Amino acid sequence: MTSDGQEPAADRGAHRIAIVRPLLLAAAVILAAVHALGILVGDPLLRYAEILALLPLLAYGLLDALPAPRVALPAALTVLVVDAVRTVPAVPTGSYGWQVSGLEQPDLQASFVTGLSLTWAPLLFVLLLLLSAREGSGPQRHVLAVAALPATLVTGYAAVRLGDVFLGTRDAQRASAGFGYDAIKTLSAAALATLTPLALALAAIGLAAMLARQGRRLAAAGAMLLTLAALPHLDAALDAVPTPVYAGDRTALFAWDAITPSLTLPAPVPALTAVLELSAYILLAIGMTHSRAVPR
């Protein structure tokens, strides 16, 4: 208080921020739930729900002291907003058309672009946060030791999926006496499709290890959720690669039908993926602003 009993302007500003930030966080959580529910039922309840969830989260992060470099978290959240604008659900037209199906060969560039389009924004988000998390993370060997097990599991899952795709395609190629799919080309396309989702998972694991090393447990939990969200994207990218029927399906644990869709709930796995991603962003925003680094 000042000598005349007035509250200093700085204190008034801090008080207003303390009131506004929980409201912004609540808005982000509610709109994230609306976005995920729209995906779950296959009909967006609010087309711009994802954008409207990320914007208050961006404002939430800007209203508190940020770790150096201060621009990392706002820039990372801005990337997510841009991607949300790019992927706004289209307005249903109710029109129908014919589609001719047939033997479609895998395309290497298209396969890579598929994986990239699914995960470029969260990958860039993680890479930008790594800029701020690397400061004070302690000796690098400790970070690598913490990240070794989950990184091995994620990489192993990707390798098993690629191996299953190759074996299934090779069997189909042999059954057709060499006519049809090329097992080597299909494997190459599948590997390119998984490249960006796998990079996202590994980068998120590294980020989680660094944040945990600093004592930012909430933010580290968010990074691990983003690692889990990368696995359905990996399977979705593989599903987009043209393969013989059922090739690779035996080892798919996070594909779109891992949770049986229904007419009422046609997209449970995509909805769960959205929940994981948005929860990760919220936890990371809270953890990067509230948690103070405590090296261990």
Side-chain angles (χ1 to χ4, degrees):
M1 301 288 287
T2 60
S3 58
D4 59 356
Q6 296 274 332
E7 186 180 12
D11 291 343
R12 290 199 301 272
H15 180 66
R16 293 193 186 105
I17 289 175
I19 294 175
V20 170
R21 292 184 81 248
L23 296 177
L24 291 172
L25 183 59
V29 171
I30 293 171
L31 289 164
V34 170
H35 174 64
L37 184 59
I39 296 175
L40 180 63
V41 300
D43 184 17
L45 304 180
L46 179 61
R47 289 182 60 223
Y48 302 101
E50 186 179 15
I51 301 172
L52 295 176
L54 292 170
L55 287 176
L57 195 61
L58 174 58
Y60 175 90
L62 289 172
L63 289 178
D64 197 7
L66 297 172
R70 293 175 57 86
V71 72
L73 180 60
L77 289 169
T78 301
V79 169
L80 299 179
V81 173
V82 171
D83 188 56
V85 171
R86 185 184 67 87
T87 57
V88 169
V91 177
T93 60
S95 60
Y96 299 90
W98 292 98
Q99 181 177 358
V100 179
S101 60
L103 182 62
E104 183 183 359
Q105 295 295 337
D107 181 271
L108 299 183
Q109 181 178 351
S111 298
F112 174 73
V113 169
T114 297
L116 182 65
S117 64
L118 288 171
T119 53
W120 75 270
L123 176 58
L124 187 53
F125 173 84
V126 170
L127 293 178
L128 286 171
L129 291 188
L130 279 170
L131 293 176
S132 58
R134 67 181 181 180
E135 296 297 333
S137 61
Q140 192 69 18
R141 62 179 180 276
H142 294 291
V143 175
L144 294 176
V146 172
L149 179 58
T152 300
L153 292 175
V154 168
T155 305
Y157 177 70
V160 168
R161 292 266 13 237
L162 291 174
D164 195 22
V165 168
F166 173 75
L167 293 176
T169 307
R170 187 191 62 181
D171 292 343
Q173 184 179 5
R174 288 176 175 176
S176 62
F179 295 97
Y181 289 99
D182 183 331
I184 298 298
K185 186 176 181 179
T186 300
L187 176 62
S188 300
L192 287 173
T194 62
L195 190 59
T196 313
L198 181 59
L200 169 61
L202 296 177
I205 290 171
L207 177 62
M210 289 185 180
L211 292 171
R213 177 69 180 168
Q214 297 172 3
R216 300 181 185 274
R217 296 185 181 88
L218 199 60
M224 287 308 299
L225 287 182
L226 206 51
T227 300
L228 293 176
L231 298 177
H233 287 313
L234 187 148
D235 279 352
L238 278 177
D239 287 342
V241 177
T243 60
V245 179
Y246 304 126
D249 289 355
R250 295 172 296 180
T251 54
L253 301 179
F254 305 94
W256 69 273
D257 58 348
I259 302 174
T260 305
S262 65
L263 292 176
T264 307
L265 305 174
V269 171
L272 179 59
T273 305
V275 168
L276 289 173
E277 285 185 335
L278 290 170
S279 298
Y281 302 147
I282 291 170
L283 290 177
L284 279 161
I286 298 172
M288 295 295 287
T289 56
H290 277 198
S291 301
R292 297 296 176 249
V294 181
R296 293 179 168 270

